[in-house]
Amino acid sequence: MAKQWFASFGRARERGVKMKIRMVIPVIAAVWMVLSSASARAENDLGAASALPQFETERVIAPREGAPEVTSEGFPEKTKEAQLPKVGDQLLFRIKGASTPGLQAVSDSKQESLEDQGWAIVEVKPLANEPDLTVAVIPLKAGKVIFPSLALQDPSGKVVGRTAPVSVEISSAISSSDPKPDQPEDVQPPAGLQFPFWIVILAGILGLILVVLLSYCLYRGIKEHLRRRKKPEKILSEDEIALSDFLKLHELGLLEKGEFKRHYFRISEILKKYIGGRYQFDALESTTGEMLETLRSRKSSAVIASESVISDISFLFEKLDLVKFTDHIPEMEESSQILGKAKEFVVATRRVPVILNSSGLNSLGVENHAHK
């Protein structure tokens, strides 16, 4: 019984080993095919890379301001050190023969970036009046460094060539006499600056202008305040205005100058203005007939002109209109008399001032009606 069990176990084990062998063989074949394909691609890439043209690269040493274009060969050590580029300076590399329009220079290393290699590309374009491509870069590390190979791509992104690496010596931006080259400089306190004198002058001028403006505003305010505090001017009555105008007319001396019409017209204007104010209607714009008609028709008005007043007005304006509207030239004595009669009319017909006593009643009685 035991022999039969061992025989069965042995046969099963043989079948399992055969199955494993059958499964491993396809896996080994697949791996071999993948490795063969990768090796072929690598060989093709290597062949393609070796088939790409390599462009010579040279550094363009731009002359410093005020100095001729020089290199460091044949100079003493101090001069060489002074001529060496420093970390952070911008360097130019010309790619000889790379004159195809639209070429771009990019890092050729897939494992390490250009910054990790100690370089930073600033600009890629041809210099003025030069067909070759020029790469502007900034070194990030000091010492004898290698400007690495760059891949040249056409506008479609296809690599059409590579640049040759260039060895460059870069000096440190830190001075050799710095006692602590590995430590940054301390922050300096703010530096004092001289206050600009022109600002003082400008501030003084503006201050003076402001003082002048404030003084002027104060003066205007005080003047306005005093003007308001003044007593109101006395309002003249119509008879006072008329007598004052007659006095001014006499001072003009129109009769002595022979200007009779002007003299008579002025007497007429003064009288009409007085009559309109005294009897409360617009007499100045009325003709003589209209004025007399208005005075005769005012039967229910508070201010009524009597027949004698209307008669005096008619007499005065008859004399005035004769000279105003005709060629009549009056005698000198007659002209003087007409001015006097006009004054007498105003004095005779003017309103008597109303004076109120303590009880508010008219102490002189009612208004004078003698010439109404």
Side-chain angles (χ1 to χ4, degrees), residues 189-201:
L193 298 177
Q194 185 179 3
F195 193 78
F197 187 68
W198 66 269
I199 294 182
V200 178
I201 297 176

Side-chain angles (χ1 to χ4, degrees), residues 355-369:
I355 302 176
L356 300 179
N357 56 22
S358 59
S359 62
L361 298 176
N362 186 355
S363 60
L364 299 180
V366 296
E367 186 181 0
N368 183 12
H369 291 274

Side-chain angles (χ1 to χ4, degrees), residues 238 273-281 303-304 349-352 367-368 371-372:
E238 63 273 359
K273 186 177 179 181
Y274 165 73
I275 293 170
R278 174 67 178 82
Y279 298 101
Q280 300 178 4
F281 73 99
V303 183
I304 303 173
T349 58
R350 64 183 174 183
R351 288 180 291 184
V352 178
E367 186 181 0
N368 183 12
H371 296 284
K372 284 189 177 181

Side-chain angles (χ1 to χ4, degrees), residues 60-71:
V60 180
I61 303 178
R64 297 187 181 180
E65 185 176 357
E69 182 174 348
V70 295
T71 61

Side-chain angles (χ1 to χ4, degrees), residues 35 41 50 52 56 105 110 137 150 155 205 207 256-257 270 281 290 317 330 339 345 359 363:
L35 292 176
R41 283 199 302 269
S50 59
L52 291 175
E56 184 181 352
K110 298 181 180 180
V137 296
L150 299 177
I205 294 174
E256 289 77 4
K257 299 176 183 178
I270 296 172
F281 73 99
E290 293 173 345
F317 278 90
L339 180 59
F345 173 79
S359 62
S363 60

